[in-house]
Amino acid sequence: MNKKLISYKFPQTSLNFSVNSPANGKKLASLPIFDANQVQSSIKKVVTGFENWSNKTAFERARILHKWHDLILANKQDLAKIMSAESAKLMEESLLEVEFGASFVSWCAEEAKRAYGEIIPMPNGNRGEVHRQPIGAVAAITPWNFPLAMITRKVAPALAAGCSVVCKPSELTPLSAIALLNLAREAGIEDGVFELVFGDASMIGKEFCASPALKKLSFTGSTRVGKILMEQCAAIMKKVTMELGGNAPFIVFDDANLDLVVAHAVKSRFRFSGQTCICANRFLIQEGIYAEFVKKFAAAVKKIEIAPLINSAAAEKVSKLVEGCKKEGGKVLYAAKGKAEMPTYYPPTIIEAVTEKMEIFAAEIFGPVATLVKFKTAKDAVKLANATSYGLAAYVFGTDLRQASKVAEQLEFGMVGINESAISASHSPFGGMKESGIGREGSHYGIEEYFETKFVSINLM
Ligand code: ADP
């Protein structure tokens, strides 16, 4: 690991926490636990930073963001190594995440120059102007499953819009965040424009939400914590963007191209061992293709190698869900061998005969477990798919595109892939309906979240 990339002069604190490898428990680093006063100092810094940053021209901000992007890519190998060390992500997945994370920075750098306003024809002859102004200094709280991309997906649009950001990364994966911060400084993103804080999540969350100096909170994480934060923000009507949990249905119709289905099904369920919020969580398979799907899917799953989970609590949670499902009548079709020496590892598993009544059907599994449900008609598939409080991503596979797009319209999910599972990108809106969140990230919709719309009516007489 490149130690220079992960060393940064944070304030002196009396308490520290350690960052450990999920694969072997080895200590990777020790970091400061900020107290409430130190969090407040960081908030003050970004308030000052906002004044400087928002006064730059959009072209200057774009130039600096492009530089940050280039530095991220120039350090791709080191960033991927840091990410793999702290999250146990497979190296090839970490490399892809660095590229994915960098893409938000370049896309937003380009978009920074296009923050156009509007002139509205006015009945009284006034000039009606619509301005898009940066919302101000903002806060971000990010998770461990995409230690780099979840930060750039928030920080890049915020900076593009002219905002400054104070971010609390997950305490499980703070090193990628530090590396990003160092590269940001090298690119010209100065002190106060992007800051990091570490420590007690609940205390930091309260400080962020209660501070009138921070005009917005963007959060990615569990629905449970999202609800706490939203409630806290409500006290001062703080704006929020919430990217929360998912329970994605993966619908396969009888006429689907099975080879395509299986390739996407394996990727979508087992990427980062199933620890992503848009992972296929429930496989809904039409009865005519069911037997053949099971055969091909199981054969493909038997060949995969996956990373351990983020910690042993995560492995225990998945194990509990599977044991519960077995008791409720689920049939294990395949379970790979566990690794006794690695308590964070949970083996790839496929369970059949899953029903709507089971706990596993309602849960965001966040592990390498595929649950299979058989259905008869398209109407049944839509009903099953929507039978969840989540509404993030859904997938539909079938060659009859008329049927597939009709179904897509009826799905209560913010993103739908038809014969496609790669649906997250810098140029497209990512976000959920129902309890999966509020607002969008990526694309111009994502940048819009960091602007206020101001109407100015000018009497020219
Ligand atoms: P996950 O289950 O994926 O870890 P969490 O919602 O627990 O999701 O965590 C996502 C982020 O939210 C992390 O940075 C975590 O430290 C932070 N977090 C957890 N609890 C709170 C809280 N009460 N207030 C603010 N942030 C929190």
Side-chain angles (χ1 to χ4, degrees):
M1 234 193 319
N2 181 342
K3 291 266 183 221
K4 225 180 104 207
L5 261 185
I6 54 167
S7 51
Y8 191 82
K9 225 171 148 278
F10 290 108
Q12 282 285 326
T13 58
S14 47
L15 294 172
N16 290 301
F17 70 101
S18 43
V19 186
N20 301 316
S21 152
N24 56 26
K26 219 179 107 198
K27 182 171 161 179
L28 302 169
S30 175
L31 290 174
I33 295 182
F34 285 44
D35 62 26
N37 287 332
Q38 287 163 324
V39 174
Q40 284 301 332
S41 309
S42 300
I43 294 175
K44 278 203 190 101
K45 273 192 187 173
V46 289
V47 169
T48 310
F50 173 68
E51 284 170 27
N52 302 334
W53 185 251
S54 59
N55 275 320
K56 287 191 193 303
T57 65
F59 281 71
E60 180 65 358
R61 289 198 290 266
R63 193 189 61 73
I64 295 172
L65 283 170
H66 274 303
K67 194 153 178 217
W68 191 25
H69 164 264
D70 294 348
L71 284 168
I72 293 171
L73 286 190
N75 288 275
K76 187 163 114 177
Q77 288 290 334
D78 280 332
L79 288 169
K81 275 186 206 153
I82 292 166
M83 193 189 303
S84 287
E86 65 180 354
S87 70
K89 195 168 273 205
L90 299 175
M91 191 60 186
E92 69 251 34
E93 290 182 343
S94 293
L95 286 166
L96 284 175
E97 183 180 337
V98 177
E99 286 180 11
F100 174 61
S103 72
F104 287 95
V105 184
S106 61
W107 202 90
C108 291
E110 289 157 14
E111 202 63 10
K113 297 183 234 167
R114 284 160 210 142
Y116 306 129
E118 225 179 330
I119 303 282
I120 296 188
M122 301 284 284
N124 59 0
N126 278 14
R127 180 176 299 149
E129 296 178 348
V130 179
H131 296 230
R132 286 161 84 213
Q133 289 186 188
I135 197 165
V138 303
I141 299 180
T142 57
W144 48 264
N145 62 342
F146 288 92
L148 187 145
M150 291 305 102
I151 297 178
T152 55
R153 195 156 82 171
K154 296 185 189 308
V155 176
L159 297 192
C163 300
S164 57
V165 190
V166 56
C167 172
K168 189 207 86 64
S170 167
E171 47 287 354
L172 301 175
T173 56
L175 302 179
S176 298
I178 298 174
L180 270 180
L181 182 72
N182 277 318
L183 296 173
R185 290 288 183 270
E186 200 178 329
I189 297 168
E190 294 162 346
D191 277 17
V193 178
F194 168 32
E195 293 288 335
L196 292 176
V197 296
F198 303 107
D200 173 8
S202 150
M203 178 276 283
I204 295 172
K206 282 187 189 135
E207 297 292 330
F208 279 1
C209 296
S211 167
L214 297 172
K215 306 295 186 215
K216 179 189 174 79
L217 171 72
S218 178
F219 172 72
T220 299
S222 61
T223 297
R224 182 186 71 79
V225 174
K227 287 178 182 175
I228 296 173
L229 293 170
M230 205 171 151
E231 212 174 308
Q232 289 173 181
C233 285
I236 56 166
M237 206 50 84
K238 182 165 296 188
K239 311 278 184 295
V240 293
T241 298
M242 295 276 159
E243 296 294 351
L244 310 175
N247 182 356
F250 187 107
I251 301 170
V252 182
F253 284 110
D254 283 345
D255 64 346
N257 171 338
L258 253 194
D259 290 334
L260 182 82
V261 168
V262 169
H264 282 279
V266 171
K267 248 194 271 168
S268 178
R269 174 64 283 189
F270 295 100
R271 177 177 179 212
F272 193 26
S273 308
Q275 302 174 106
T276 83
C277 46
I278 59 166
C279 269
N281 206 49
R282 297 169 292 152
F283 288 91
L284 312 179
I285 316 293
Q286 200 162 20
E287 54 189 6
I289 203 171
Y290 185 85
E292 217 186 327
F293 168 81
V294 164
K295 212 168 86 195
K296 287 198 169 180
F297 182 56
V301 173
K302 280 177 192 168
K303 291 191 204 134
I304 60 171
E305 281 293 326
I306 58 165
L309 300 184
I310 190 69
N311 52 31
S312 44
E316 277 157 30
K317 189 201 121 189
V318 175
S319 168
K320 242 181 160 171
L321 273 174
V322 170
E323 293 314 307
C325 174
K326 286 195 311 206
K327 278 195 200 119
E328 289 175 301
K331 304 260 175 295
V332 175
L333 173 83
Y334 170 71
K337 268 214 186 94
K339 295 184 181 176
E341 74 289 0
M342 203 188 267
T344 51
Y345 181 82
Y346 194 90
T349 302
I350 305 174
I351 312 183
E352 285 190 278
V354 170
T355 70
E356 210 180 320
K357 295 200 177 72
M358 295 178 182
E359 190 191 353
I360 207 162
F361 184 94
E364 181 178 34
I365 301 170
F366 240 57
V369 178
T371 57
L372 312 189
V373 183
K374 217 187 271 183
F375 73 85
K376 277 193 167 62
T377 66
K379 206 171 154 200
D380 296 341
V382 170
K383 195 161 163 269
L384 278 166
N386 288 340
T388 167
S389 57
Y390 293 107
L392 193 60
Y395 307 96
V396 183
F397 283 77
T399 46
D400 177 355
L401 285 182
R402 257 185 47 191
Q403 170 171 263
S405 45
K406 263 192 184 165
V407 165
E409 270 175 37
Q410 292 163 42
L411 290 172
E412 296 165 349
F413 293 83
M415 295 163 287
V416 181
I418 296 181
N419 295 319
E420 180 58 84
S421 63
I423 51 165
S424 175
S426 57
H427 50 265
S428 53
F430 184 105
M433 296 183 184
K434 290 153 78 173
E435 292 191 24
S436 286
I438 293 177
R440 294 294 180 266
E441 291 191 316
S443 79
H444 67 88
Y445 295 97
I447 296 189
E448 206 52 55
E449 304 268 332
Y450 295 94
F451 283 117
E452 281 286 15
T453 301
K454 181 181 281 174
F455 174 64
V456 180
S457 179
I458 309 173
N459 182 342
L460 297 162
M461 301 309 139

